Amino acid sequence: MKLALAQFEVARANPAENLVRIGERATTASAAGVDLLCLPEMCTTGFDWSYNREHLAAASKIIDAVATIARSHSLAICGSFLEQTESGNAANCFCYFDANGVLLASYRKLHLFTLFREEQHVEAGNECITVATDFGTIAAAICYDLRFPELFRRNTASGAFMHILPAAFPHPRLDHWRTLVRARAIENQTYFVAVNQCGLEGHHGSVDKTQYFGHSMVVDPWGEIVLEADENESLLDIEIDPRSVDQVRSKLSAWDDRREDLFRI
């Protein structure tokens, strides 16, 4: 399975520009034989909540445009997008489109980042989501979810061989990012794909400016970083072998040695 991680500076409150950027990266990834293009958190709008609320009714059309990009490039695409909920609120939603542009699964962010006052703008999800793909079961998470290991435990128990996390992780928490991404891979003996924004964003919640540090990465089931970006915009690709999960677990049986009688997930 060949993955591509699209790390870029999201144009705040400018879906048209972001869709162009996504389309360009899809063109490059498709030409390179990539199977799945992974995008960062809120990659079509950013976090301008006054703009997002005003244009919330158009969120579905933007998501449909991403589906069209997937279909036109015969390329699976996943990332996090603005979505309008059934109650009319905003949600931060992970979507997975297959190479035909079909939405296979959507996941609303469970853990809202109170430091940036996300709970004032976003309706939290209430369901863990995995998606069955041609390559195996893939699990969804978004940004702040990274700090809550029970989500990844639950999704691994549901059969996921890989977790994908679109994010907008900022300085000064790069050490947390690198440590937690590796920890989630090690403790579950799965692949972990974390794709982050980079660049500067203006007023955001409780802070005036936010500097996203990039460092999108892929970690294998041993916990080794097999791909890592720097802080600049990039499109990096890598081939992974889903069978590595079973191979690692056959050598170190930590996943099978869980005490499910005491700790029920």
Side-chain angles (χ1 to χ4, degrees):
M1 180 183 188
K2 193 171 186 179
L3 308 173
L5 280 60
Q7 178 176 291
F8 60 93
E9 182 174 354
V10 173
R12 186 178 174 91
N14 194 337
E17 182 175 345
N18 292 316
L19 287 170
V20 169
R21 295 179 179 184
I22 293 168
E24 291 172 346
R25 286 154 178 80
T27 298
T28 302
S30 179
V34 166
D35 298 300
L36 173 62
L37 174 64
C38 302
L39 306 172
E41 183 180 16
M42 293 290 282
C43 62
T44 51
T45 58
F47 297 94
D48 184 331
W49 288 113
S50 60
Y51 173 91
N52 289 349
R53 282 194 300 271
E54 184 179 350
H55 296 85
L56 189 56
S60 62
K61 294 181 181 178
I62 298 170
I63 293 174
D64 288 344
V66 177
T68 298
I69 292 171
R71 181 171 59 253
S72 63
H73 292 84
S74 299
L75 175 70
I77 296 178
C78 67
S80 153
F81 310 92
L82 177 69
E83 180 195 43
Q84 186 174 38
T85 69
E86 296 78 5
S87 58
N89 296 321
N92 185 341
C93 186
F94 175 104
C95 295
Y96 187 106
F97 304 96
D98 70 12
N100 295 313
V102 176
L103 179 63
L104 294 188
S106 61
Y107 158 81
R108 291 175 181 165
K109 189 176 184 179
L110 294 184
H111 302 96
L112 303 182
F113 192 38
T114 53
L115 181 62
F116 283 178
R117 300 173 183 165
E118 193 173 26
E119 79 286 353
Q120 297 181 13
H121 308 288
V122 173
E123 181 179 321
N126 57 16
E127 186 178 8
C128 302
I129 295 294
T130 58
V131 52
T133 75
D134 291 339
F135 308 100
T137 300
I138 294 173
I142 300 173
C143 200
Y144 191 41
D145 286 333
L146 181 62
R147 294 184 180 273
F148 301 89
E150 56 273 15
L151 168 62
F152 304 95
R153 209 65 162 171
R154 173 74 173 272
N155 286 341
T156 304
S158 295
F161 81 92
M162 180 168 69
H163 303 271
I164 300 180
L165 181 104
F169 246 75
H171 283 296
R173 291 177 286 276
L174 176 56
D175 284 346
H176 287 196
W177 167 262
R178 299 183 84 248
T179 300
L180 290 169
V181 170
R182 292 190 68 199
R184 298 293 86 88
I186 291 168
E187 67 199 7
N188 293 296
Q189 298 183 296
T190 58
Y191 280 99
F192 203 107
V193 177
V195 55
N196 197 26
Q197 286 193 34
C198 62
L200 185 69
E201 185 165 36
H203 183 75
H204 187 166
S206 60
V207 296
D208 290 333
K209 292 184 179 179
T210 301
Q211 180 70 51
Y212 302 114
F213 51 67
H215 282 269
S216 300
M217 64 177 68
V218 177
V219 180
D220 73 13
W222 277 119
E224 298 295 326
I225 298 173
V226 294
L227 181 72
E228 183 173 8
D230 58 18
E231 296 202 8
N232 301 308
E233 292 197 347
S234 59
L235 180 66
L236 303 179
D237 62 64
I238 186 172
E239 288 189 3
I240 67 167
D241 186 352
R243 295 172 297 182
S244 296
V245 172
D246 289 337
Q247 293 168 0
V248 168
R249 291 177 182 175
S250 70
K251 296 176 181 178
L252 177 63
S253 57
W255 178 255
D256 292 331
D257 295 337
R258 291 168 297 136
R259 286 293 305 274
E260 293 184 273
D261 57 323
L262 296 177
F263 308 106
R264 299 190 181 276
I265 297 295

